[in-house]
Amino acid sequence: MEALTFLNAAFFGVVGLAAGIFVGAVPGLNAAIGIALLLPFTFTMDPTVSLIFLGAIFTGGIYGGAITAIIANVPGAPSNIATCFDGYPMAQKGQAQEAIYSATIAHATGGVFGVIALLLLAPPLAELALKFGPAESFWTYMFGLTIVASLAPGALLKGVLACIFGLLLSTVGLSPVTGIPRFTFGAGDLVGGVNLIAALLGFFGFAQGILLLEADQAVQEAKFRPRSGVFTIVFGNIFLRMYALVLGSATIGLIIGILPGAGASVAALVAYAEAKNFSRHRQKFGTGIPEGVVAPEAANSACVGGDLIPTLTLGIPGSPAAAVMMGGLIVHGLVPGPALFTDHASITYNFMYGMLIAQLLLIPMGCFGATLVARTLNVRPAILGAAILVLSVFGAYAATSHISGVMVMLSCGLVTYLWIKLDIPVAPAVLGLILGKGIEDSFMTSLQLGDASGSVFAYFFTRPIAVVLILLCVASFAASLFLEYRVQKKSTGMKVA
Amino acid sequence: MKEQSTANLLLGLFVIIVSVAMYQVAETFEGDARDRAFPQLLLILAVVIGVALITREFWKTKKLFALSWSLPFSRRQVSIIIVSSIYPIAAFWLGFYSSAFLFLTIFPWIILKTAPGVSQLDREREGLRSFIMGMASAGLFVGFLYVSFWHLLRILFPQGIWV
C-alpha cells in the first residue's frame, strides 16, 4: 500500500471504528444501519480505504452496545444482550470500569481470532469456489437463501415473502437473457435496475429514522467516571486466568459466524450459556462476574470474521450487516466470490489486515472512549431519527445524482416501515435483492449449458459439488424448519402459560 | 392479536392481487419466455405464500366474525409518516441543505412529548430548550454534511429555490 493510501486507511479506519461504536451504542441502531448510512461517504474513496472504513464500522458496531449494556442495562444492539446479564450487575456493584475493560479486551481478542481465521480459511475456500460452474453457483446462491428462516425466526412465511420481494426487485431493469427492460414501467432511470445503495438506505436508514421519531422519549442520564490502574489488572486477569474462556467463546463465535443465518447475537448467547455450563461457579453467573461479560463479547466479535468467510468467498452474506457490507463491495466494483482473491487480491488482503488492526484499535478506543460512548444514551431519539432521515435522503441522491434514487429510498423505507409494523423481517428482502441477479444469471446459464450438454437434469443435479451443495441446502432448510417449529412451540407455550 | 390477524389476512390478499397483476405485466415483456421465467416463477411463489398466510390466519382465528378491522397506527404515527415522506420530495424545491436544517430544527420540536402532569410553564421551558437544542444540532449536522459532501466528496445537491 502506498504511504498516502496507508495514512488514509488509518484515518478512515479510526473514524469508521468511532462511528461504528457510536452506532452500536445507540439503542435501535446497529452495524448494518451504520454501514448503510455511511456507504455514500465512500463513493470517491479508494476501494481499499473504503472497505477498511466499512469493516471498521462493522467491528465497532458489534462492540458499541456493550458499553451501554453495562452502564445502563440497555444493549445498543442485539449482539450485546448477553453482555447485560453480568455487565449491568457488575456496574451496580461499582465495577462498571472493570466490566467495560473486560468486555473491550475480550472483544478485541475474539475479533483478532476471527480475522486470523478469516485470513487462513478464506483463501482455500475461494480456491474451491473457483471450481464452481453455473450449476454450482446456482446451488450456492440457493444455499444462501435457505438462511431466510434463520433471519426471520417465528415468521417463516413472512420471511420467504420478504425474500421474494427482494428477488423481484432484483429483476427490475434489463433482462440478463435478451436485454429487454422489465418492470421499469417506462421509467428510464430504472433501466439500470434498482440502485442498491438507495434501497439499502430505505431498508435500514429511512424506516429506522421514522421508528426513532415515533419512539421519542425522555433521554436517560448515563454517567461513567473511570479510575486509573484498572486496565492493567483487567488485562492480566483476562490473559492469565481467562484465556481458555476467551478462546473457547471465540471458537463458538467463529463457527456460528461461518454458518449462514445465525449472527452475533446467537453467538453471544450460546457462548454465555456454554461458559455458564463449564464454569466451576455457575451459580455466580448473572450476579455480576467478569466471565459473564468476557464470554459473549469474545464470541460476538469472533463472529464478524466468521461472517465474512462465506461473504467474501462465496458471495453468501451470513447476516444483515454482512449483506450490507457485500453491497459496499459491489458498489466499488468488487463482486464477492473467488475473484476477490485472484483479481483483487491486494485490496482483499489489505482489507483483512485492516480489520485486524481495527480489532486492536478497539482496546484504546473502547477503554478510554467509554465516557463519551456512555453519553450516546443522552441523545434524544427524535433528533437522531431526523438526522438519519436527512442522511438517507442525501445518501440516496448522492448514489444516483437523480430524484429516482430518493424515490427508490423513500419507497423501500415506507415498505420497510409497514413491514416492521406487520412483523415482516427486512433482512431476507436485502438478501434477495443482493443475490437475485446471481441466481437468475446462474440459473439461465445452467439451463443453456445443460441443454447443450444433452441433459438439463444431469447438469443441475448430478455434478459432484452440486450434489454436496444440494444436500447442504436440504440440511439447512430442514434446520430452519426445525427452528421455526421450536419457536412456534415456545411462543404457544408462553401464551398458554 | 386480533389486529395482527386482520393485518395478516389483508397482507395475504394484497400479495395475491399484486402478484396476479404483476404476472400480467410480465406477460407483456417484449423478449422471449426466458425473460419472463424467473419473475413469473417468483410471482407464482408469492401467490402461494399469500394463500398460505390467509389459510393460516383463518385456521388460527377460528371465529371469522371476531376479526377486528382497526389498523395499528395512532394519529401521531400517521403524521410522522406523512411529514417524513413529504420531506424528501420537498428537499428538491427548498434545496437540500436548507430543507435539512428546517426539518432537523422544527420536526423534533413539534413532536416533542412531555410527561403527563407537567405544568404549562415547565412545558414551555422544555419546548424552548428542545427548540434551541434542535437548532444547534441541526446547524452542526448540516455543517458536517456540507463539508463532507460539498468540500470533500464534491457531490452537488439540488439548491431548489436558492438558485
Side-chain angles (χ1 to χ4, degrees), chain A residues 41 44 158 175 177-178 182 206 213-214 216 380 386-387 389-391 394 397 403 407 414 417 421-422 440 444 448, chain B residues 4 7-8 11 34-35 38 42 76-77 81 84-85 87 89 92 103-104 107-108 112-113 130 145 148 153 156-158:
Chain A
F41 290 96
T44 54
K158 290 179 177 178
S175 157
V177 185
T178 61
R182 298 184 301 187
F206 194 81
L213 282 165
E214 264 183 32
D216 193 22
R380 202 182 139 207
L389 288 188
V390 169
L391 202 53
F394 273 72
Y397 186 84
I403 193 169
M407 288 299 135
L414 289 175
Y417 174 81
K421 294 289 168 191
L422 292 168
E440 189 176 9
M444 288 302 169
Q448 284 168 350
Chain B
Q4 198 61 48
N8 288 343
L11 174 71
R34 290 172 300 164
D35 293 309
F38 187 61
L42 291 173
R76 186 170 180 272
Q77 283 174 318
I81 298 165
S84 304
S85 310
Y87 157 64
I89 299 154
F92 286 89
F103 182 73
L104 285 165
F107 198 42
L112 179 74
K113 275 196 289 191
S130 159
L145 290 178
S148 312
L153 300 174
L156 297 175
F157 289 103

Short mmCIF file of all heavy atoms in Angstrom, two decimals, chain A residues 41 44 158 175 177-178 182 206 213-214 216 380 386-387 389-391 394 397 403 407 414 417 421-422 440 444 448, chain B residues 4 7-8 11 34-35 38 42 76-77 81 84-85 87 89 92 103-104 107-108 112-113 130 145 148 153 156-158:
data_model
loop_
_atom_site.label_atom_id
_atom_site.label_comp_id
_atom_site.label_asym_id
_atom_site.label_seq_id
_atom_site.Cartn_x
_atom_site.Cartn_y
_atom_site.Cartn_z
N PHE A 41 -20.58 7.94 1.79
CA PHE A 41 -19.34 8.71 2.01
C PHE A 41 -18.13 8.03 1.39
O PHE A 41 -17.06 8.61 1.32
CB PHE A 41 -19.10 8.90 3.52
CG PHE A 41 -20.09 9.83 4.17
CD1 PHE A 41 -21.21 9.35 4.81
CD2 PHE A 41 -19.90 11.20 4.12
CE1 PHE A 41 -22.14 10.20 5.39
CE2 PHE A 41 -20.82 12.07 4.69
CZ PHE A 41 -21.94 11.57 5.33
N THR A 44 -16.12 8.26 -3.35
CA THR A 44 -14.91 8.74 -4.01
C THR A 44 -13.64 8.18 -3.38
O THR A 44 -12.54 8.55 -3.76
CB THR A 44 -14.86 10.29 -3.96
OG1 THR A 44 -14.99 10.69 -2.60
CG2 THR A 44 -15.96 10.91 -4.79
N LYS A 158 -43.55 -15.06 6.27
CA LYS A 158 -43.29 -13.64 6.01
C LYS A 158 -41.84 -13.44 5.58
O LYS A 158 -41.54 -12.57 4.74
CB LYS A 158 -43.60 -12.81 7.25
CG LYS A 158 -45.08 -12.75 7.56
CD LYS A 158 -45.35 -11.95 8.80
CE LYS A 158 -46.84 -11.84 9.05
NZ LYS A 158 -47.13 -11.11 10.29
N SER A 175 -33.13 -7.37 -18.75
CA SER A 175 -33.07 -8.83 -18.58
C SER A 175 -31.67 -9.33 -18.93
O SER A 175 -31.08 -8.88 -19.92
CB SER A 175 -34.10 -9.49 -19.50
OG SER A 175 -33.74 -10.82 -19.76
N VAL A 177 -30.96 -12.09 -20.17
CA VAL A 177 -31.02 -13.02 -21.31
C VAL A 177 -31.00 -12.25 -22.63
O VAL A 177 -30.09 -12.41 -23.44
CB VAL A 177 -32.28 -13.92 -21.22
CG1 VAL A 177 -32.26 -14.95 -22.34
CG2 VAL A 177 -32.36 -14.60 -19.87
N THR A 178 -32.01 -11.41 -22.85
CA THR A 178 -32.06 -10.70 -24.14
C THR A 178 -31.88 -9.19 -24.01
O THR A 178 -31.87 -8.48 -25.01
CB THR A 178 -33.42 -10.97 -24.84
OG1 THR A 178 -34.45 -10.47 -23.99
CG2 THR A 178 -33.64 -12.44 -25.12
N ARG A 182 -37.44 -4.77 -17.92
CA ARG A 182 -38.52 -5.47 -17.18
C ARG A 182 -38.94 -4.62 -15.98
O ARG A 182 -38.08 -4.10 -15.25
CB ARG A 182 -38.03 -6.83 -16.69
CG ARG A 182 -37.62 -7.77 -17.81
CD ARG A 182 -37.24 -9.14 -17.30
NE ARG A 182 -36.13 -9.09 -16.34
CZ ARG A 182 -35.53 -10.17 -15.86
NH1 ARG A 182 -35.96 -11.36 -16.21
NH2 ARG A 182 -34.53 -10.06 -15.03
N PHE A 206 -34.07 4.94 6.43
CA PHE A 206 -35.31 5.72 6.48
C PHE A 206 -36.33 5.13 7.48
O PHE A 206 -36.84 5.85 8.35
CB PHE A 206 -35.93 5.78 5.08
CG PHE A 206 -37.00 6.81 4.93
CD1 PHE A 206 -36.69 8.13 4.72
CD2 PHE A 206 -38.33 6.45 5.03
CE1 PHE A 206 -37.69 9.09 4.59
CE2 PHE A 206 -39.34 7.40 4.89
CZ PHE A 206 -39.00 8.73 4.68
N LEU A 213 -38.21 8.49 15.54
CA LEU A 213 -39.06 9.66 15.73
C LEU A 213 -40.31 9.30 16.54
O LEU A 213 -40.73 10.02 17.42
CB LEU A 213 -39.48 10.24 14.37
CG LEU A 213 -38.44 11.07 13.63
CD1 LEU A 213 -38.85 11.26 12.19
CD2 LEU A 213 -38.26 12.42 14.29
N GLU A 214 -40.86 8.14 16.21
CA GLU A 214 -42.05 7.65 16.91
C GLU A 214 -41.79 7.37 18.37
O GLU A 214 -42.58 7.70 19.24
CB GLU A 214 -42.48 6.32 16.28
CG GLU A 214 -43.53 6.43 15.25
CD GLU A 214 -43.90 5.03 14.78
OE1 GLU A 214 -43.83 4.07 15.56
OE2 GLU A 214 -44.24 4.94 13.62
N ASP A 216 -39.84 8.63 20.37
CA ASP A 216 -39.22 9.74 21.09
C ASP A 216 -39.61 9.69 22.57
O ASP A 216 -40.76 9.53 22.90
CB ASP A 216 -39.68 11.07 20.48
CG ASP A 216 -38.84 12.22 20.97
OD1 ASP A 216 -37.71 11.96 21.41
OD2 ASP A 216 -39.31 13.36 20.93
N ARG A 380 -31.32 12.65 22.28
CA ARG A 380 -32.78 12.48 22.12
C ARG A 380 -33.07 11.68 20.85
O ARG A 380 -32.59 12.03 19.78
CB ARG A 380 -33.43 13.86 22.03
CG ARG A 380 -34.89 13.84 22.38
CD ARG A 380 -35.50 15.20 22.23
NE ARG A 380 -36.82 15.03 21.63
CZ ARG A 380 -37.43 15.94 20.91
NH1 ARG A 380 -36.85 17.10 20.68
NH2 ARG A 380 -38.62 15.70 20.41
N ALA A 386 -34.43 12.15 13.03
CA ALA A 386 -34.50 13.17 11.97
C ALA A 386 -33.17 13.22 11.21
O ALA A 386 -33.15 13.33 9.98
CB ALA A 386 -34.82 14.52 12.59
N ALA A 387 -32.06 13.10 11.95
CA ALA A 387 -30.74 13.13 11.30
C ALA A 387 -30.56 11.93 10.37
O ALA A 387 -30.00 12.05 9.28
CB ALA A 387 -29.65 13.14 12.36
N LEU A 389 -33.00 10.35 8.79
CA LEU A 389 -33.83 10.61 7.60
C LEU A 389 -33.09 11.53 6.63
O LEU A 389 -33.04 11.27 5.42
CB LEU A 389 -35.15 11.27 7.99
CG LEU A 389 -36.20 10.42 8.71
CD1 LEU A 389 -37.50 11.19 8.84
CD2 LEU A 389 -36.47 9.14 7.97
N VAL A 390 -32.51 12.59 7.17
CA VAL A 390 -31.77 13.54 6.33
C VAL A 390 -30.59 12.84 5.64
O VAL A 390 -30.39 12.98 4.42
CB VAL A 390 -31.28 14.74 7.19
CG1 VAL A 390 -30.29 15.58 6.41
CG2 VAL A 390 -32.47 15.59 7.63
N LEU A 391 -29.87 12.06 6.40
CA LEU A 391 -28.70 11.35 5.85
C LEU A 391 -29.13 10.37 4.76
O LEU A 391 -28.43 10.20 3.75
CB LEU A 391 -27.98 10.63 6.99
CG LEU A 391 -26.52 10.27 6.78
CD1 LEU A 391 -25.70 11.48 6.36
CD2 LEU A 391 -25.93 9.67 8.05
N PHE A 394 -29.84 12.44 1.59
CA PHE A 394 -28.58 12.88 0.98
C PHE A 394 -27.85 11.69 0.33
O PHE A 394 -27.35 11.80 -0.78
CB PHE A 394 -27.67 13.51 2.05
CG PHE A 394 -27.94 14.98 2.26
CD1 PHE A 394 -29.08 15.42 2.89
CD2 PHE A 394 -27.03 15.93 1.82
CE1 PHE A 394 -29.33 16.77 3.09
CE2 PHE A 394 -27.26 17.29 2.00
CZ PHE A 394 -28.42 17.72 2.64
N TYR A 397 -29.55 10.46 -2.92
CA TYR A 397 -29.31 11.35 -4.06
C TYR A 397 -27.85 11.24 -4.52
O TYR A 397 -27.58 11.20 -5.73
CB TYR A 397 -29.66 12.80 -3.69
CG TYR A 397 -29.56 13.72 -4.89
CD1 TYR A 397 -30.63 13.84 -5.77
CD2 TYR A 397 -28.39 14.42 -5.17
CE1 TYR A 397 -30.53 14.64 -6.90
CE2 TYR A 397 -28.28 15.22 -6.29
CZ TYR A 397 -29.36 15.33 -7.15
OH TYR A 397 -29.26 16.12 -8.27
N ILE A 403 -33.41 12.25 -8.85
CA ILE A 403 -34.54 12.10 -7.93
C ILE A 403 -34.97 10.63 -7.80
O ILE A 403 -35.52 10.22 -6.78
CB ILE A 403 -35.73 12.99 -8.39
CG1 ILE A 403 -36.78 13.09 -7.27
CG2 ILE A 403 -36.33 12.51 -9.69
CD1 ILE A 403 -37.85 14.12 -7.52
N MET A 407 -36.50 8.48 -4.64
CA MET A 407 -37.81 7.81 -4.72
C MET A 407 -37.68 6.32 -4.35
O MET A 407 -38.53 5.77 -3.65
CB MET A 407 -38.40 7.94 -6.13
CG MET A 407 -38.88 9.33 -6.46
SD MET A 407 -40.18 9.79 -5.32
CE MET A 407 -39.72 11.42 -4.88
N LEU A 414 -40.67 3.23 3.22
CA LEU A 414 -42.07 3.14 3.65
C LEU A 414 -42.54 1.68 3.69
O LEU A 414 -43.25 1.28 4.62
CB LEU A 414 -42.97 3.96 2.71
CG LEU A 414 -42.80 5.48 2.84
CD1 LEU A 414 -43.63 6.21 1.80
CD2 LEU A 414 -43.20 5.96 4.24
N TYR A 417 -41.10 0.18 6.78
CA TYR A 417 -41.80 0.65 7.98
C TYR A 417 -43.09 -0.16 8.18
O TYR A 417 -43.37 -0.64 9.28
CB TYR A 417 -42.11 2.14 7.85
CG TYR A 417 -42.96 2.66 8.96
CD1 TYR A 417 -42.39 3.00 10.19
CD2 TYR A 417 -44.33 2.80 8.82
CE1 TYR A 417 -43.17 3.46 11.23
CE2 TYR A 417 -45.12 3.26 9.86
CZ TYR A 417 -44.54 3.59 11.06
OH TYR A 417 -45.32 4.03 12.09
N LYS A 421 -44.21 -2.98 11.19
CA LYS A 421 -45.48 -2.97 11.91
C LYS A 421 -46.20 -4.31 11.76
O LYS A 421 -46.97 -4.71 12.62
CB LYS A 421 -46.39 -1.85 11.38
CG LYS A 421 -45.85 -0.47 11.66
CD LYS A 421 -45.94 -0.15 13.14
CE LYS A 421 -45.15 1.10 13.48
NZ LYS A 421 -45.01 1.30 14.91
N LEU A 422 -45.99 -4.99 10.62
CA LEU A 422 -46.66 -6.27 10.37
C LEU A 422 -45.77 -7.47 10.74
O LEU A 422 -46.06 -8.60 10.38
CB LEU A 422 -47.04 -6.38 8.88
CG LEU A 422 -48.12 -5.43 8.38
CD1 LEU A 422 -48.18 -5.43 6.87
CD2 LEU A 422 -49.47 -5.82 8.95
N GLU A 440 -30.50 -15.58 -10.99
CA GLU A 440 -31.09 -15.63 -12.34
C GLU A 440 -30.03 -15.91 -13.39
O GLU A 440 -30.22 -16.76 -14.27
CB GLU A 440 -31.83 -14.33 -12.66
CG GLU A 440 -32.63 -14.46 -13.95
CD GLU A 440 -33.47 -13.23 -14.27
OE1 GLU A 440 -33.31 -12.21 -13.59
OE2 GLU A 440 -34.26 -13.30 -15.23
N MET A 444 -30.08 -19.32 -15.64
CA MET A 444 -30.25 -19.26 -17.09
C MET A 444 -29.05 -19.88 -17.82
O MET A 444 -29.20 -20.63 -18.79
CB MET A 444 -30.47 -17.81 -17.55
CG MET A 444 -31.81 -17.26 -17.17
SD MET A 444 -33.12 -18.27 -17.88
CE MET A 444 -34.55 -17.65 -17.07
N GLN A 448 -28.93 -23.23 -20.29
CA GLN A 448 -28.36 -23.26 -21.65
C GLN A 448 -27.26 -24.33 -21.76
O GLN A 448 -27.22 -25.10 -22.72
CB GLN A 448 -27.80 -21.89 -22.01
CG GLN A 448 -28.90 -20.90 -22.35
CD GLN A 448 -28.41 -19.46 -22.42
OE1 GLN A 448 -27.28 -19.17 -22.04
NE2 GLN A 448 -29.27 -18.57 -22.87
N GLN B 4 -53.41 -8.07 14.53
CA GLN B 4 -52.34 -8.72 13.78
C GLN B 4 -52.93 -9.71 12.79
O GLN B 4 -52.48 -9.80 11.65
CB GLN B 4 -51.39 -9.41 14.77
CG GLN B 4 -50.04 -9.74 14.19
CD GLN B 4 -49.29 -8.51 13.73
OE1 GLN B 4 -49.20 -7.54 14.44
NE2 GLN B 4 -48.77 -8.54 12.53
N ALA B 7 -54.44 -7.84 9.93
CA ALA B 7 -53.36 -7.32 9.09
C ALA B 7 -52.76 -8.43 8.24
O ALA B 7 -52.49 -8.23 7.05
CB ALA B 7 -52.29 -6.70 9.98
N ASN B 8 -52.60 -9.62 8.82
CA ASN B 8 -52.04 -10.75 8.06
C ASN B 8 -52.98 -11.18 6.94
O ASN B 8 -52.54 -11.51 5.84
CB ASN B 8 -51.77 -11.93 8.99
CG ASN B 8 -50.57 -11.68 9.88
OD1 ASN B 8 -49.78 -10.77 9.61
ND2 ASN B 8 -50.45 -12.44 10.94
N LEU B 11 -52.78 -8.62 4.32
CA LEU B 11 -51.48 -8.77 3.66
C LEU B 11 -51.54 -9.90 2.63
O LEU B 11 -51.10 -9.74 1.48
CB LEU B 11 -50.40 -9.06 4.70
CG LEU B 11 -49.01 -9.37 4.16
CD1 LEU B 11 -48.37 -8.12 3.58
CD2 LEU B 11 -48.10 -9.93 5.26
N ARG B 34 -37.79 -16.83 -21.72
CA ARG B 34 -36.71 -16.86 -20.72
C ARG B 34 -36.65 -15.56 -19.94
O ARG B 34 -36.21 -15.53 -18.79
CB ARG B 34 -35.37 -17.12 -21.42
CG ARG B 34 -35.23 -18.54 -21.95
CD ARG B 34 -33.99 -18.67 -22.77
NE ARG B 34 -34.01 -17.75 -23.91
CZ ARG B 34 -32.95 -17.41 -24.63
NH1 ARG B 34 -31.77 -17.91 -24.33
NH2 ARG B 34 -33.05 -16.57 -25.65
N ASP B 35 -37.06 -14.45 -20.55
CA ASP B 35 -37.05 -13.17 -19.85
C ASP B 35 -38.14 -13.13 -18.77
O ASP B 35 -38.01 -12.41 -17.79
CB ASP B 35 -37.29 -12.02 -20.84
CG ASP B 35 -36.14 -11.87 -21.80
OD1 ASP B 35 -35.00 -11.80 -21.33
OD2 ASP B 35 -36.39 -11.87 -23.02
N PHE B 38 -38.11 -16.21 -14.72
CA PHE B 38 -37.70 -16.00 -13.33
C PHE B 38 -38.69 -15.13 -12.56
O PHE B 38 -39.19 -15.54 -11.49
CB PHE B 38 -36.28 -15.42 -13.30
CG PHE B 38 -35.70 -15.32 -11.92
CD1 PHE B 38 -35.50 -16.45 -11.12
CD2 PHE B 38 -35.34 -14.09 -11.39
CE1 PHE B 38 -34.97 -16.35 -9.85
CE2 PHE B 38 -34.79 -13.97 -10.13
CZ PHE B 38 -34.61 -15.11 -9.35
N LEU B 42 -41.28 -16.35 -9.44
CA LEU B 42 -41.31 -15.68 -8.14
C LEU B 42 -42.73 -15.22 -7.80
O LEU B 42 -43.17 -15.33 -6.65
CB LEU B 42 -40.37 -14.47 -8.14
CG LEU B 42 -38.88 -14.77 -8.21
CD1 LEU B 42 -38.09 -13.48 -8.38
CD2 LEU B 42 -38.42 -15.50 -6.96
N ARG B 76 -50.52 10.38 15.83
CA ARG B 76 -49.14 10.89 15.89
C ARG B 76 -48.25 10.13 14.88
O ARG B 76 -47.46 10.73 14.15
CB ARG B 76 -48.61 10.70 17.31
CG ARG B 76 -47.26 11.31 17.55
CD ARG B 76 -46.93 11.28 19.03
NE ARG B 76 -45.63 11.86 19.27
CZ ARG B 76 -44.50 11.19 19.23
NH1 ARG B 76 -44.52 9.91 18.97
NH2 ARG B 76 -43.35 11.80 19.45
N GLN B 77 -48.43 8.79 14.85
CA GLN B 77 -47.63 7.97 13.93
C GLN B 77 -47.90 8.36 12.49
O GLN B 77 -46.98 8.51 11.69
CB GLN B 77 -47.94 6.49 14.14
CG GLN B 77 -47.29 5.90 15.37
CD GLN B 77 -47.75 4.47 15.60
OE1 GLN B 77 -48.92 4.16 15.45
NE2 GLN B 77 -46.83 3.61 15.96
N ILE B 81 -45.29 9.80 9.69
CA ILE B 81 -45.05 9.14 8.40
C ILE B 81 -45.26 10.14 7.26
O ILE B 81 -44.46 10.21 6.32
CB ILE B 81 -45.99 7.92 8.21
CG1 ILE B 81 -45.71 6.88 9.29
CG2 ILE B 81 -45.79 7.29 6.84
CD1 ILE B 81 -46.81 5.84 9.41
N SER B 84 -42.47 12.76 7.20
CA SER B 84 -41.21 12.12 6.79
C SER B 84 -41.22 11.79 5.30
O SER B 84 -40.17 11.76 4.66
CB SER B 84 -40.98 10.83 7.58
OG SER B 84 -41.00 11.10 8.94
N SER B 85 -42.41 11.50 4.76
CA SER B 85 -42.50 11.17 3.33
C SER B 85 -42.47 12.42 2.46
O SER B 85 -41.99 12.38 1.33
CB SER B 85 -43.78 10.40 3.04
OG SER B 85 -43.90 9.34 3.92
N TYR B 87 -40.89 15.27 3.29
CA TYR B 87 -39.59 15.94 3.38
C TYR B 87 -38.65 15.61 2.20
O TYR B 87 -38.09 16.54 1.57
CB TYR B 87 -38.93 15.63 4.74
CG TYR B 87 -37.44 15.79 4.70
CD1 TYR B 87 -36.87 17.05 4.45
CD2 TYR B 87 -36.59 14.70 4.83
CE1 TYR B 87 -35.50 17.19 4.35
CE2 TYR B 87 -35.24 14.83 4.73
CZ TYR B 87 -34.68 16.07 4.49
OH TYR B 87 -33.34 16.21 4.37
N ILE B 89 -39.24 14.85 -0.82
CA ILE B 89 -39.69 15.47 -2.06
C ILE B 89 -39.53 16.99 -1.96
O ILE B 89 -39.08 17.65 -2.90
CB ILE B 89 -41.15 15.06 -2.36
CG1 ILE B 89 -41.22 13.53 -2.51
CG2 ILE B 89 -41.68 15.73 -3.62
CD1 ILE B 89 -42.55 12.93 -2.21
N PHE B 92 -36.23 18.88 -2.88
CA PHE B 92 -35.88 19.28 -4.25
C PHE B 92 -36.33 20.72 -4.55
O PHE B 92 -35.78 21.36 -5.40
CB PHE B 92 -36.49 18.30 -5.26
CG PHE B 92 -35.76 16.99 -5.29
CD1 PHE B 92 -36.12 15.96 -4.44
CD2 PHE B 92 -34.66 16.80 -6.12
CE1 PHE B 92 -35.43 14.76 -4.44
CE2 PHE B 92 -33.97 15.60 -6.13
CZ PHE B 92 -34.36 14.58 -5.27
N PHE B 103 -35.97 20.89 8.65
CA PHE B 103 -36.54 19.62 9.11
C PHE B 103 -35.96 19.22 10.47
O PHE B 103 -36.68 18.85 11.39
CB PHE B 103 -36.25 18.54 8.05
CG PHE B 103 -36.82 17.19 8.38
CD1 PHE B 103 -38.19 16.95 8.29
CD2 PHE B 103 -36.00 16.15 8.78
CE1 PHE B 103 -38.71 15.71 8.59
CE2 PHE B 103 -36.52 14.90 9.08
CZ PHE B 103 -37.88 14.68 8.99
N LEU B 104 -34.63 19.33 10.57
CA LEU B 104 -33.96 18.93 11.82
C LEU B 104 -34.32 19.85 12.98
O LEU B 104 -34.34 19.43 14.14
CB LEU B 104 -32.44 18.92 11.62
CG LEU B 104 -31.87 17.76 10.81
CD1 LEU B 104 -30.45 18.05 10.39
CD2 LEU B 104 -31.92 16.49 11.62
N PHE B 107 -39.02 19.68 13.15
CA PHE B 107 -39.78 18.45 13.33
C PHE B 107 -39.62 17.81 14.73
O PHE B 107 -40.63 17.52 15.39
CB PHE B 107 -39.44 17.46 12.22
CG PHE B 107 -40.44 16.36 12.06
CD1 PHE B 107 -41.80 16.62 12.13
CD2 PHE B 107 -40.03 15.06 11.86
CE1 PHE B 107 -42.73 15.61 12.00
CE2 PHE B 107 -40.95 14.04 11.73
CZ PHE B 107 -42.31 14.32 11.81
N PRO B 108 -38.37 17.63 15.22
CA PRO B 108 -38.25 17.05 16.57
C PRO B 108 -38.92 17.93 17.63
O PRO B 108 -39.40 17.44 18.64
CB PRO B 108 -36.73 16.99 16.79
CG PRO B 108 -36.14 16.98 15.45
CD PRO B 108 -37.05 17.83 14.61
N LEU B 112 -42.30 16.76 20.10
CA LEU B 112 -41.81 16.58 21.47
C LEU B 112 -42.95 16.13 22.38
O LEU B 112 -44.02 16.72 22.41
CB LEU B 112 -41.23 17.90 21.98
CG LEU B 112 -40.70 17.88 23.41
CD1 LEU B 112 -39.39 17.12 23.48
CD2 LEU B 112 -40.50 19.29 23.94
N LYS B 113 -42.68 15.04 23.13
CA LYS B 113 -43.69 14.53 24.07
C LYS B 113 -43.30 14.97 25.47
O LYS B 113 -42.17 14.73 25.91
CB LYS B 113 -43.72 13.00 24.03
CG LYS B 113 -44.58 12.44 22.95
CD LYS B 113 -44.89 10.98 23.17
CE LYS B 113 -43.71 10.06 22.96
NZ LYS B 113 -44.03 8.65 22.93
N SER B 130 -35.81 22.42 23.88
CA SER B 130 -35.77 21.45 22.79
C SER B 130 -35.52 22.16 21.45
O SER B 130 -34.76 21.68 20.61
CB SER B 130 -37.07 20.67 22.76
OG SER B 130 -37.27 20.10 21.51
N LEU B 145 -22.59 17.84 6.95
CA LEU B 145 -22.99 17.33 5.63
C LEU B 145 -22.40 18.19 4.52
O LEU B 145 -21.91 17.68 3.50
CB LEU B 145 -24.52 17.30 5.50
CG LEU B 145 -25.28 16.28 6.33
CD1 LEU B 145 -26.77 16.43 6.12
CD2 LEU B 145 -24.86 14.86 5.97
N SER B 148 -18.68 17.53 4.26
CA SER B 148 -18.40 16.18 3.73
C SER B 148 -18.75 16.07 2.25
O SER B 148 -17.92 15.65 1.44
CB SER B 148 -19.20 15.12 4.48
OG SER B 148 -19.09 15.29 5.83
N LEU B 153 -16.32 15.34 -0.89
CA LEU B 153 -16.74 14.39 -1.92
C LEU B 153 -17.11 15.06 -3.24
O LEU B 153 -17.27 14.40 -4.26
CB LEU B 153 -17.95 13.57 -1.42
CG LEU B 153 -17.71 12.73 -0.16
CD1 LEU B 153 -19.01 12.11 0.30
CD2 LEU B 153 -16.70 11.63 -0.42
N LEU B 156 -22.73 17.52 -5.77
CA LEU B 156 -23.64 18.68 -5.80
C LEU B 156 -25.07 18.22 -5.53
O LEU B 156 -25.50 17.20 -6.06
CB LEU B 156 -23.59 19.36 -7.17
CG LEU B 156 -22.25 19.95 -7.59
CD1 LEU B 156 -22.36 20.47 -9.01
CD2 LEU B 156 -21.84 21.07 -6.65
N PHE B 157 -25.77 18.98 -4.71
CA PHE B 157 -27.17 18.66 -4.43
C PHE B 157 -28.06 19.77 -4.98
O PHE B 157 -27.63 20.92 -5.08
CB PHE B 157 -27.38 18.52 -2.92
CG PHE B 157 -26.76 17.29 -2.36
CD1 PHE B 157 -25.57 17.35 -1.66
CD2 PHE B 157 -27.35 16.05 -2.54
CE1 PHE B 157 -24.98 16.21 -1.16
CE2 PHE B 157 -26.78 14.91 -2.03
CZ PHE B 157 -25.59 14.98 -1.34
N PRO B 158 -29.32 19.45 -5.32
CA PRO B 158 -30.22 20.48 -5.82
C PRO B 158 -30.35 21.63 -4.82
O PRO B 158 -30.47 21.40 -3.61
CB PRO B 158 -31.56 19.75 -5.96
CG PRO B 158 -31.19 18.31 -6.09
CD PRO B 158 -29.96 18.12 -5.29
#
